[in-house]
Amino acid sequence: MSTIELTKDNFDEVVSGNDFVLIDFWASWCGPCRQFGPVYEAASERHQDLVFAKVDTEAQQELAAAFEIRSIPTLMIVRDKVAVFAQPGALPEAALEDVIGQARNLDMDEVRKAVAAQQAG
């Protein structure tokens, strides 16, 4: 599956309409972003059941600001409309695969309980 370009116009639709979305916040002038790009694209080919998306932080400054992106590249994983992972830095292939595996194995009922408890207290 090809990577989707996220904008402020389609962000909510893509994230709400899919159970598992990986988001790469990047910019064309960023060297580490350019290094991470091919690793991210290769992972999108291996994981056809997941949605891989990119946010160009230069073109989509409102989205970058909304997620308080301070360093790029930043990888974010959203499962069932809950951000379960967010980390700046270009990940090597093995680390990206590990993060995807961990996110796949999360018990989302437990995650939602933890989020609700955190918001309550």
Side-chain angles (χ1 to χ4, degrees):
M1 176 181 215
S2 62
T3 303
I4 299 169
E5 186 69 34
L6 288 182
T7 66
K8 63 180 181 171
D9 298 326
N10 71 353
F11 186 90
D12 288 339
E13 176 187 339
V14 170
V15 172
S16 298
N18 294 283
D19 296 335
F20 197 122
V21 183
L22 293 94
I23 305 167
D24 174 22
F25 290 87
W26 70 285
S28 60
W29 52 262
C30 164
C33 298
R34 289 196 304 271
Q35 290 176 325
F36 182 60
V39 173
Y40 190 73
E41 292 298 327
S44 76
E45 295 301 318
R46 285 191 300 275
H47 299 279
Q48 300 274 329
D49 58 322
L50 307 180
V51 174
F52 283 73
K54 292 177 87 80
V55 173
D56 180 342
T57 57
E58 289 294 302
Q60 300 298 321
Q61 293 182 11
E62 288 178 48
L63 274 180
F67 287 97
E68 298 180 358
I69 302 302
R70 305 260 185 265
S71 178
I72 53 174
T74 290
L75 176 68
M76 182 177 290
I77 299 177
V78 180
R79 280 204 51 201
D80 301 339
K81 302 180 200 75
V82 177
V84 296
F85 178 85
Q87 177 179 310
L91 295 174
E93 184 177 320
L96 178 57
E97 288 298 319
D98 184 51
V99 166
I100 291 170
Q102 289 182 48
R104 281 187 187 275
N105 292 330
L106 285 174
D107 179 337
M108 289 309 293
D109 290 333
E110 290 299 318
V111 170
R112 280 188 284 278
K113 284 181 194 169
V115 168
Q118 189 176 33
Q119 290 174 342

